[in-house]
Amino acid sequence: MKRTLGTCYYPEHWPKSTWKDDATRMADLGLTWVRIGEFAWSQLEPTAGAYDFGWLDDAIETLGAAGLRVVLGTPTATPPRWMLDRHPDMLAMDPKGRPRKFGSRRHYCFSHEGYKQECARIVTALARRYGRNPHVAAWQTDNEYGCHDTTISYSEAARSAFRLWLRARYPGDGNDGDIDALNGAWGNVFWSMKYDDFDQIGLPNLTVTEPNPAHSLAFRRFSSDQVVRFNRLQTDILRARTNAPIAHNYMGRITDFDHFAVGADLDIASWDSYPLGFLEDRVGATPDHQRRFARQGDPDFQAFHHDLYRAVGRGRWWVMEQQPGPVNWAPYNPAPLPGMVRLWSWEAFAHGAEAVCYFRWRQAPMAQEQMHAGLLRPDNAEAPAMHEVRQLASEISGAPAVGASCTSVALIFDYDADFAWSVQPHGQGLSYFGLVFQVYQAMRTLGLSIDILPPDTTDFSGYRLIAAPGLMHMPDALKEALLQSGAQVVVGPRSGARDQDMSIPVPLPPALPGIDVTVSYVESLRPDMPVPLQGDGAVTHYVEALEGSATVDLVSQDGAAIAMSGMNTQYVGGWLDHQGWRRVLRQACTKAGVDTLNLPEGLRLRDTETERFWFNHNAKPVTFSGRVFPAASVSRDTP
Ligand code: GAL
């Protein structure tokens, strides 16, 4: 597969007389893809049932005639205003029970049957008209599921659907739900929370104090399943009418639905990469780090998502939206350092992307995203990123095809664990994503290339080191597969800490085969009370008391066991700091026979089967191993 470039374009925002010139400029720039249509419902169906496809026919024809391949988005993220008159109760409800309003986007509840029928109708109409159009070479469902906190809705529609979902989850004999099974699994004898019937069960919001964590976790899983079903409704319709691949554009650090489950119905995973916006509002970095990388973005955050979405797409993935200049939505919105747009794009290719598309072609002079750069300014002149994209287009035309991943290091990522941690963090600021990302960062500073794997992986062949931190519920099959993998395995903290219904299992966690270690109790710690380790590093935020006969590998300064190992497995009983994780992982690599490096801050590498890439994310040159890497640069070694 060739490496390709593209852009996001909104023909409906510009006079028709300009489309041909835009298309020619895109093609001349060396772009392959142009994504259109994902917010255009009110243009496609100005009043209910009265379609206007003429303009889209012309836009697709104009773009296609210029040699571009169209990614057509379904417009279901932006229901028109008239939709609310037909379905006044289709709005999602926030945790306080207030409806989200019309006037921006994503104002719908995933459980609303009437809205879903409307979506099925518009998607069917689009698929019929464009499913076999030769210029429509890919589809995108909706836009950024979950964006603006929209996965979870506390609406009436959600409540009814949740009850049905629970009946199916606790089926009993008659398949109509066994309420005693639910009461037993959730421990509803506690605080007299027992139900007599599924129809008595409400949503876990507005309770006096916290709801039962089992109830909350069930609702999180249900909400995730509703996204999967919503997406599947569209893919079923599209598949019947097109052979073009179907994608969705996921986001950075949005974990409130299971992307692996959505991805199972799609051909390509794509995601929207805004490195500078993320550094400000999503990475969770210190102010020093934010200042240092303000114009470059975090050196690991994009890479993490590239690896995650490569797994979600089962190998096929794109960047559907790449930041080309300042954005509008973060607390502060600086411009990228010259060279960074090229670096970000090459980084995506290094992690296996088939395409990188820039958001957006031209900056909009109106509405919410006026302050968001494009490749062109509103007056049609070139914005600063344009020359980097031009350079890239010529570079990729001579470069090898998309390189397959080739690493012996794996990291498991489990959305369900993220749900469980967020239901029961046990300490302020503790999150599953935060933990896994910290392990990923430590791996990257050791110069490792990483495959992220889903939690239902059973075949670990080819991997010599597997890290699976924080898997709150660890099915026996996974424990067994890890034991049998022959790799060095690093698990914990909180691995296997809860059963599938969020109770503490007995025998006590982690109950791993082949290693005698038990977590006897746990504590969460104030951020200002780290527990230093003997040697380098410390435990911060969260620590477990470990007992058992396994070998003690890591000890705190006051003599408590922090990590223990047996057979091929090491259990880490605490949230380690960066130095602590580096120590644990370096040791595991040594045992596994995996080479490590000691990369300087901001320098990262990525290996594929045929290339080694070096990325210097620093604003100044860095010397490593006698080699100088210029500021904000990419270096590519081909053997
Ligand atoms: C994305 C979204 C785009 C646009 C962009 C601005 O989240 O998919 O439609 O809003 O952000 O950065």
mmCIF file of all heavy atoms in Angstrom, residues 36-76:
data_model
loop_
_atom_site.group_PDB
_atom_site.id
_atom_site.type_symbol
_atom_site.label_atom_id
_atom_site.label_comp_id
_atom_site.label_asym_id
_atom_site.label_seq_id
_atom_site.Cartn_x
_atom_site.Cartn_y
_atom_site.Cartn_z
ATOM 1 N N ILE A 36 -15.272 14.653 2.423
ATOM 2 C CA ILE A 36 -16.344 15.647 2.358
ATOM 3 C C ILE A 36 -17.628 15.102 2.985
ATOM 4 O O ILE A 36 -17.768 13.900 3.201
ATOM 5 C CB ILE A 36 -16.664 16.059 0.895
ATOM 6 C CG1 ILE A 36 -17.149 14.844 0.085
ATOM 7 C CG2 ILE A 36 -15.446 16.674 0.231
ATOM 8 C CD1 ILE A 36 -17.647 15.223 -1.312
ATOM 9 N N GLY A 37 -18.540 15.994 3.273
ATOM 10 C CA GLY A 37 -19.934 15.625 3.513
ATOM 11 C C GLY A 37 -20.349 15.341 4.939
ATOM 12 O O GLY A 37 -21.546 15.231 5.221
ATOM 13 N N GLU A 38 -19.394 15.243 5.868
ATOM 14 C CA GLU A 38 -19.771 14.669 7.171
ATOM 15 C C GLU A 38 -20.630 15.596 8.042
ATOM 16 O O GLU A 38 -21.153 15.135 9.052
ATOM 17 C CB GLU A 38 -18.543 14.155 7.925
ATOM 18 C CG GLU A 38 -17.726 15.182 8.678
ATOM 19 C CD GLU A 38 -16.748 15.933 7.800
ATOM 20 O OE1 GLU A 38 -16.846 15.816 6.566
ATOM 21 O OE2 GLU A 38 -15.885 16.661 8.348
ATOM 22 N N PHE A 39 -20.751 16.884 7.651
ATOM 23 C CA PHE A 39 -21.635 17.744 8.457
ATOM 24 C C PHE A 39 -22.731 18.370 7.592
ATOM 25 O O PHE A 39 -23.321 19.378 7.968
ATOM 26 C CB PHE A 39 -20.829 18.866 9.126
ATOM 27 C CG PHE A 39 -19.765 18.381 10.076
ATOM 28 C CD1 PHE A 39 -18.452 18.832 9.964
ATOM 29 C CD2 PHE A 39 -20.068 17.498 11.104
ATOM 30 C CE1 PHE A 39 -17.464 18.400 10.849
ATOM 31 C CE2 PHE A 39 -19.090 17.052 11.993
ATOM 32 C CZ PHE A 39 -17.790 17.507 11.854
ATOM 33 N N ALA A 40 -23.023 17.780 6.446
ATOM 34 C CA ALA A 40 -23.826 18.493 5.441
ATOM 35 C C ALA A 40 -25.300 18.098 5.414
ATOM 36 O O ALA A 40 -25.978 18.314 4.408
ATOM 37 C CB ALA A 40 -23.189 18.303 4.054
ATOM 38 N N TRP A 41 -25.817 17.540 6.504
ATOM 39 C CA TRP A 41 -27.194 17.012 6.442
ATOM 40 C C TRP A 41 -28.201 18.084 6.027
ATOM 41 O O TRP A 41 -29.075 17.856 5.191
ATOM 42 C CB TRP A 41 -27.577 16.393 7.792
ATOM 43 C CG TRP A 41 -28.763 15.462 7.739
ATOM 44 C CD1 TRP A 41 -29.778 15.462 6.814
ATOM 45 C CD2 TRP A 41 -29.047 14.382 8.631
ATOM 46 N NE1 TRP A 41 -30.675 14.459 7.078
ATOM 47 C CE2 TRP A 41 -30.250 13.774 8.204
ATOM 48 C CE3 TRP A 41 -28.411 13.859 9.771
ATOM 49 C CZ2 TRP A 41 -30.827 12.693 8.861
ATOM 50 C CZ3 TRP A 41 -28.981 12.788 10.431
ATOM 51 C CH2 TRP A 41 -30.182 12.211 9.973
ATOM 52 N N SER A 42 -28.091 19.277 6.584
ATOM 53 C CA SER A 42 -29.120 20.281 6.265
ATOM 54 C C SER A 42 -29.039 20.740 4.809
ATOM 55 O O SER A 42 -30.008 21.264 4.259
ATOM 56 C CB SER A 42 -29.044 21.483 7.208
ATOM 57 O OG SER A 42 -27.922 22.258 6.896
ATOM 58 N N GLN A 43 -27.899 20.537 4.167
ATOM 59 C CA GLN A 43 -27.785 20.845 2.738
ATOM 60 C C GLN A 43 -28.315 19.697 1.886
ATOM 61 O O GLN A 43 -28.770 19.904 0.771
ATOM 62 C CB GLN A 43 -26.313 21.079 2.347
ATOM 63 C CG GLN A 43 -25.637 22.205 3.080
ATOM 64 C CD GLN A 43 -26.341 23.517 2.849
ATOM 65 O OE1 GLN A 43 -26.926 24.085 3.770
ATOM 66 N NE2 GLN A 43 -26.316 23.981 1.605
ATOM 67 N N LEU A 44 -28.196 18.486 2.422
ATOM 68 C CA LEU A 44 -28.627 17.300 1.669
ATOM 69 C C LEU A 44 -30.128 17.072 1.797
ATOM 70 O O LEU A 44 -30.750 16.487 0.925
ATOM 71 C CB LEU A 44 -27.891 16.058 2.187
ATOM 72 C CG LEU A 44 -26.382 16.057 1.955
ATOM 73 C CD1 LEU A 44 -25.712 14.932 2.739
ATOM 74 C CD2 LEU A 44 -26.080 15.913 0.460
ATOM 75 N N GLU A 45 -30.678 17.532 2.918
ATOM 76 C CA GLU A 45 -32.104 17.323 3.166
ATOM 77 C C GLU A 45 -32.627 18.587 3.864
ATOM 78 O O GLU A 45 -32.838 18.606 5.075
ATOM 79 C CB GLU A 45 -32.295 16.080 4.067
ATOM 80 C CG GLU A 45 -33.731 15.603 4.115
ATOM 81 C CD GLU A 45 -33.908 14.373 5.009
ATOM 82 O OE1 GLU A 45 -32.917 13.889 5.599
ATOM 83 O OE2 GLU A 45 -35.056 13.918 5.137
ATOM 84 N N PRO A 46 -32.827 19.649 3.073
ATOM 85 C CA PRO A 46 -33.171 20.951 3.679
ATOM 86 C C PRO A 46 -34.456 20.895 4.497
ATOM 87 O O PRO A 46 -34.568 21.567 5.514
ATOM 88 C CB PRO A 46 -33.315 21.872 2.472
ATOM 89 C CG PRO A 46 -32.577 21.194 1.357
ATOM 90 C CD PRO A 46 -32.664 19.725 1.625
ATOM 91 N N THR A 47 -35.437 20.125 4.038
ATOM 92 C CA THR A 47 -36.609 19.878 4.871
ATOM 93 C C THR A 47 -36.843 18.371 4.871
ATOM 94 O O THR A 47 -36.426 17.675 3.946
ATOM 95 C CB THR A 47 -37.874 20.599 4.339
ATOM 96 O OG1 THR A 47 -38.075 20.185 2.981
ATOM 97 C CG2 THR A 47 -37.736 22.106 4.389
ATOM 98 N N ALA A 48 -37.518 17.917 5.914
ATOM 99 C CA ALA A 48 -37.651 16.475 6.096
ATOM 100 C C ALA A 48 -38.164 15.790 4.831
ATOM 101 O O ALA A 48 -39.205 16.165 4.290
ATOM 102 C CB ALA A 48 -38.588 16.198 7.268
ATOM 103 N N GLY A 49 -37.421 14.833 4.357
ATOM 104 C CA GLY A 49 -37.860 14.008 3.225
ATOM 105 C C GLY A 49 -37.587 14.620 1.869
ATOM 106 O O GLY A 49 -37.731 13.955 0.849
ATOM 107 N N ALA A 50 -37.184 15.898 1.797
ATOM 108 C CA ALA A 50 -36.916 16.537 0.493
ATOM 109 C C ALA A 50 -35.404 16.632 0.299
ATOM 110 O O ALA A 50 -34.742 17.491 0.879
ATOM 111 C CB ALA A 50 -37.541 17.932 0.462
ATOM 112 N N TYR A 51 -34.878 15.718 -0.503
ATOM 113 C CA TYR A 51 -33.422 15.649 -0.667
ATOM 114 C C TYR A 51 -32.932 16.617 -1.734
ATOM 115 O O TYR A 51 -33.632 16.903 -2.701
ATOM 116 C CB TYR A 51 -33.010 14.226 -1.074
ATOM 117 C CG TYR A 51 -33.347 13.182 -0.037
ATOM 118 C CD1 TYR A 51 -34.325 12.217 -0.272
ATOM 119 C CD2 TYR A 51 -32.682 13.163 1.190
ATOM 120 C CE1 TYR A 51 -34.622 11.251 0.681
ATOM 121 C CE2 TYR A 51 -32.981 12.205 2.148
ATOM 122 C CZ TYR A 51 -33.961 11.249 1.890
ATOM 123 O OH TYR A 51 -34.262 10.316 2.820
ATOM 124 N N ASP A 52 -31.718 17.086 -1.556
ATOM 125 C CA ASP A 52 -31.057 17.875 -2.591
ATOM 126 C C ASP A 52 -29.637 17.329 -2.759
ATOM 127 O O ASP A 52 -28.717 17.732 -2.037
ATOM 128 C CB ASP A 52 -31.013 19.359 -2.188
ATOM 129 C CG ASP A 52 -30.272 20.186 -3.227
ATOM 130 O OD1 ASP A 52 -29.877 19.616 -4.276
ATOM 131 O OD2 ASP A 52 -30.055 21.390 -2.993
ATOM 132 N N PHE A 53 -29.500 16.395 -3.684
ATOM 133 C CA PHE A 53 -28.184 15.788 -3.888
ATOM 134 C C PHE A 53 -27.410 16.425 -5.040
ATOM 135 O O PHE A 53 -26.256 16.066 -5.273
ATOM 136 C CB PHE A 53 -28.332 14.286 -4.185
ATOM 137 C CG PHE A 53 -28.763 13.483 -2.989
ATOM 138 C CD1 PHE A 53 -29.914 12.701 -3.031
ATOM 139 C CD2 PHE A 53 -28.016 13.508 -1.826
ATOM 140 C CE1 PHE A 53 -30.296 11.956 -1.925
ATOM 141 C CE2 PHE A 53 -28.393 12.763 -0.712
ATOM 142 C CZ PHE A 53 -29.550 11.984 -0.766
ATOM 143 N N GLY A 54 -28.066 17.344 -5.749
ATOM 144 C CA GLY A 54 -27.437 17.891 -6.955
ATOM 145 C C GLY A 54 -26.067 18.499 -6.675
ATOM 146 O O GLY A 54 -25.095 18.234 -7.390
ATOM 147 N N TRP A 55 -25.985 19.281 -5.623
ATOM 148 C CA TRP A 55 -24.706 19.953 -5.332
ATOM 149 C C TRP A 55 -23.616 18.944 -4.983
ATOM 150 O O TRP A 55 -22.461 19.109 -5.365
ATOM 151 C CB TRP A 55 -24.871 20.995 -4.214
ATOM 152 C CG TRP A 55 -25.144 20.395 -2.858
ATOM 153 C CD1 TRP A 55 -26.348 20.110 -2.309
ATOM 154 C CD2 TRP A 55 -24.163 19.984 -1.888
ATOM 155 N NE1 TRP A 55 -26.211 19.552 -1.063
ATOM 156 C CE2 TRP A 55 -24.864 19.470 -0.772
ATOM 157 C CE3 TRP A 55 -22.768 20.010 -1.820
ATOM 158 C CZ2 TRP A 55 -24.229 18.977 0.370
ATOM 159 C CZ3 TRP A 55 -22.127 19.523 -0.689
ATOM 160 C CH2 TRP A 55 -22.852 19.012 0.393
ATOM 161 N N LEU A 56 -24.010 17.853 -4.281
ATOM 162 C CA LEU A 56 -23.009 16.854 -3.904
ATOM 163 C C LEU A 56 -22.567 16.057 -5.138
ATOM 164 O O LEU A 56 -21.383 15.744 -5.298
ATOM 165 C CB LEU A 56 -23.561 15.929 -2.811
ATOM 166 C CG LEU A 56 -22.566 14.937 -2.203
ATOM 167 C CD1 LEU A 56 -21.330 15.639 -1.618
ATOM 168 C CD2 LEU A 56 -23.234 14.108 -1.104
ATOM 169 N N ASP A 57 -23.528 15.779 -6.040
ATOM 170 C CA ASP A 57 -23.158 15.138 -7.319
ATOM 171 C C ASP A 57 -22.057 15.959 -7.998
ATOM 172 O O ASP A 57 -21.034 15.424 -8.432
ATOM 173 C CB ASP A 57 -24.348 15.090 -8.297
ATOM 174 C CG ASP A 57 -25.484 14.201 -7.810
ATOM 175 O OD1 ASP A 57 -25.289 13.457 -6.832
ATOM 176 O OD2 ASP A 57 -26.580 14.270 -8.411
ATOM 177 N N ASP A 58 -22.297 17.268 -8.069
ATOM 178 C CA ASP A 58 -21.346 18.146 -8.774
ATOM 179 C C ASP A 58 -20.002 18.206 -8.046
ATOM 180 O O ASP A 58 -18.932 18.197 -8.675
ATOM 181 C CB ASP A 58 -21.913 19.570 -8.893
ATOM 182 C CG ASP A 58 -23.142 19.609 -9.804
ATOM 183 O OD1 ASP A 58 -23.364 18.603 -10.518
ATOM 184 O OD2 ASP A 58 -23.869 20.615 -9.780
ATOM 185 N N ALA A 59 -20.066 18.290 -6.731
ATOM 186 C CA ALA A 59 -18.810 18.386 -5.965
ATOM 187 C C ALA A 59 -17.983 17.118 -6.172
ATOM 188 O O ALA A 59 -16.769 17.181 -6.438
ATOM 189 C CB ALA A 59 -19.108 18.593 -4.481
ATOM 190 N N ILE A 60 -18.624 15.964 -6.071
ATOM 191 C CA ILE A 60 -17.897 14.698 -6.238
ATOM 192 C C ILE A 60 -17.326 14.604 -7.652
ATOM 193 O O ILE A 60 -16.173 14.218 -7.856
ATOM 194 C CB ILE A 60 -18.825 13.497 -5.911
ATOM 195 C CG1 ILE A 60 -19.138 13.469 -4.412
ATOM 196 C CG2 ILE A 60 -18.189 12.178 -6.359
ATOM 197 C CD1 ILE A 60 -20.161 12.429 -3.984
ATOM 198 N N GLU A 61 -18.114 15.011 -8.620
ATOM 199 C CA GLU A 61 -17.660 14.952 -10.006
ATOM 200 C C GLU A 61 -16.446 15.873 -10.216
ATOM 201 O O GLU A 61 -15.454 15.497 -10.847
ATOM 202 C CB GLU A 61 -18.832 15.343 -10.933
ATOM 203 C CG GLU A 61 -18.559 15.205 -12.404
ATOM 204 C CD GLU A 61 -17.927 13.859 -12.800
ATOM 205 O OE1 GLU A 61 -18.378 12.816 -12.274
ATOM 206 O OE2 GLU A 61 -16.973 13.871 -13.620
ATOM 207 N N THR A 62 -16.531 17.086 -9.658
ATOM 208 C CA THR A 62 -15.433 18.051 -9.827
ATOM 209 C C THR A 62 -14.150 17.526 -9.181
ATOM 210 O O THR A 62 -13.066 17.587 -9.767
ATOM 211 C CB THR A 62 -15.820 19.403 -9.182
ATOM 212 O OG1 THR A 62 -17.079 19.802 -9.724
ATOM 213 C CG2 THR A 62 -14.774 20.464 -9.423
ATOM 214 N N LEU A 63 -14.268 17.004 -7.975
ATOM 215 C CA LEU A 63 -13.085 16.503 -7.265
ATOM 216 C C LEU A 63 -12.532 15.269 -7.989
ATOM 217 O O LEU A 63 -11.319 15.145 -8.195
ATOM 218 C CB LEU A 63 -13.447 16.162 -5.811
ATOM 219 C CG LEU A 63 -13.859 17.380 -4.963
ATOM 220 C CD1 LEU A 63 -14.593 16.937 -3.693
ATOM 221 C CD2 LEU A 63 -12.640 18.234 -4.590
ATOM 222 N N GLY A 64 -13.437 14.397 -8.363
ATOM 223 C CA GLY A 64 -13.016 13.166 -9.042
ATOM 224 C C GLY A 64 -12.352 13.468 -10.377
ATOM 225 O O GLY A 64 -11.344 12.846 -10.738
ATOM 226 N N ALA A 65 -12.914 14.438 -11.102
ATOM 227 C CA ALA A 65 -12.358 14.775 -12.418
ATOM 228 C C ALA A 65 -10.934 15.307 -12.289
ATOM 229 O O ALA A 65 -10.117 15.171 -13.208
ATOM 230 C CB ALA A 65 -13.248 15.798 -13.107
ATOM 231 N N ALA A 66 -10.627 15.882 -11.130
ATOM 232 C CA ALA A 66 -9.258 16.387 -10.922
ATOM 233 C C ALA A 66 -8.314 15.259 -10.520
ATOM 234 O O ALA A 66 -7.126 15.482 -10.294
ATOM 235 C CB ALA A 66 -9.269 17.478 -9.851
ATOM 236 N N GLY A 67 -8.845 14.053 -10.365
ATOM 237 C CA GLY A 67 -7.992 12.910 -10.018
ATOM 238 C C GLY A 67 -8.003 12.570 -8.539
ATOM 239 O O GLY A 67 -7.233 11.710 -8.093
ATOM 240 N N LEU A 68 -8.867 13.243 -7.784
ATOM 241 C CA LEU A 68 -8.895 12.982 -6.335
ATOM 242 C C LEU A 68 -9.842 11.837 -6.013
ATOM 243 O O LEU A 68 -10.806 11.579 -6.751
ATOM 244 C CB LEU A 68 -9.353 14.252 -5.598
ATOM 245 C CG LEU A 68 -8.393 15.430 -5.756
ATOM 246 C CD1 LEU A 68 -9.120 16.748 -5.488
ATOM 247 C CD2 LEU A 68 -7.204 15.277 -4.804
ATOM 248 N N ARG A 69 -9.583 11.171 -4.911
ATOM 249 C CA ARG A 69 -10.456 10.091 -4.440
ATOM 250 C C ARG A 69 -11.228 10.626 -3.233
ATOM 251 O O ARG A 69 -10.638 11.178 -2.300
ATOM 252 C CB ARG A 69 -9.632 8.878 -4.031
ATOM 253 C CG ARG A 69 -8.588 8.521 -5.087
ATOM 254 C CD ARG A 69 -7.864 7.245 -4.736
ATOM 255 N NE ARG A 69 -8.714 6.107 -5.045
ATOM 256 C CZ ARG A 69 -8.491 4.877 -4.597
ATOM 257 N NH1 ARG A 69 -7.477 4.636 -3.800
ATOM 258 N NH2 ARG A 69 -9.291 3.882 -4.933
ATOM 259 N N VAL A 70 -12.539 10.427 -3.272
ATOM 260 C CA VAL A 70 -13.395 11.026 -2.252
ATOM 261 C C VAL A 70 -13.644 10.055 -1.099
ATOM 262 O O VAL A 70 -13.916 8.878 -1.313
ATOM 263 C CB VAL A 70 -14.747 11.448 -2.882
ATOM 264 C CG1 VAL A 70 -15.742 11.890 -1.817
ATOM 265 C CG2 VAL A 70 -14.516 12.561 -3.901
ATOM 266 N N VAL A 71 -13.527 10.577 0.138
ATOM 267 C CA VAL A 71 -14.021 9.870 1.323
ATOM 268 C C VAL A 71 -15.338 10.553 1.667
ATOM 269 O O VAL A 71 -15.351 11.757 1.971
ATOM 270 C CB VAL A 71 -13.070 10.021 2.523
ATOM 271 C CG1 VAL A 71 -13.601 9.243 3.727
ATOM 272 C CG2 VAL A 71 -11.661 9.581 2.165
ATOM 273 N N LEU A 72 -16.425 9.814 1.589
ATOM 274 C CA LEU A 72 -17.721 10.443 1.835
ATOM 275 C C LEU A 72 -18.173 10.147 3.262
ATOM 276 O O LEU A 72 -18.270 8.987 3.665
ATOM 277 C CB LEU A 72 -18.742 9.932 0.808
ATOM 278 C CG LEU A 72 -20.103 10.611 0.830
ATOM 279 C CD1 LEU A 72 -19.994 12.133 0.670
ATOM 280 C CD2 LEU A 72 -21.000 10.047 -0.285
ATOM 281 N N GLY A 73 -18.454 11.220 4.000
ATOM 282 C CA GLY A 73 -18.884 11.063 5.392
ATOM 283 C C GLY A 73 -20.402 10.987 5.482
ATOM 284 O O GLY A 73 -21.106 11.684 4.747
ATOM 285 N N THR A 74 -20.930 10.151 6.373
ATOM 286 C CA THR A 74 -22.370 10.192 6.643
ATOM 287 C C THR A 74 -22.600 11.355 7.612
ATOM 288 O O THR A 74 -21.793 11.568 8.531
ATOM 289 C CB THR A 74 -22.883 8.864 7.234
ATOM 290 O OG1 THR A 74 -22.321 8.675 8.538
ATOM 291 C CG2 THR A 74 -22.525 7.690 6.346
ATOM 292 N N PRO A 75 -23.693 12.109 7.433
ATOM 293 C CA PRO A 75 -23.801 13.400 8.143
ATOM 294 C C PRO A 75 -24.479 13.320 9.509
ATOM 295 O O PRO A 75 -25.016 14.308 9.995
ATOM 296 C CB PRO A 75 -24.648 14.212 7.158
ATOM 297 C CG PRO A 75 -25.574 13.194 6.566
ATOM 298 C CD PRO A 75 -24.806 11.903 6.492
ATOM 299 N N THR A 76 -24.434 12.142 10.135
ATOM 300 C CA THR A 76 -25.294 11.925 11.299
ATOM 301 C C THR A 76 -24.814 12.603 12.580
ATOM 302 O O THR A 76 -25.506 12.535 13.597
ATOM 303 C CB THR A 76 -25.461 10.411 11.528
ATOM 304 O OG1 THR A 76 -24.157 9.800 11.508
ATOM 305 C CG2 THR A 76 -26.288 9.794 10.415
#
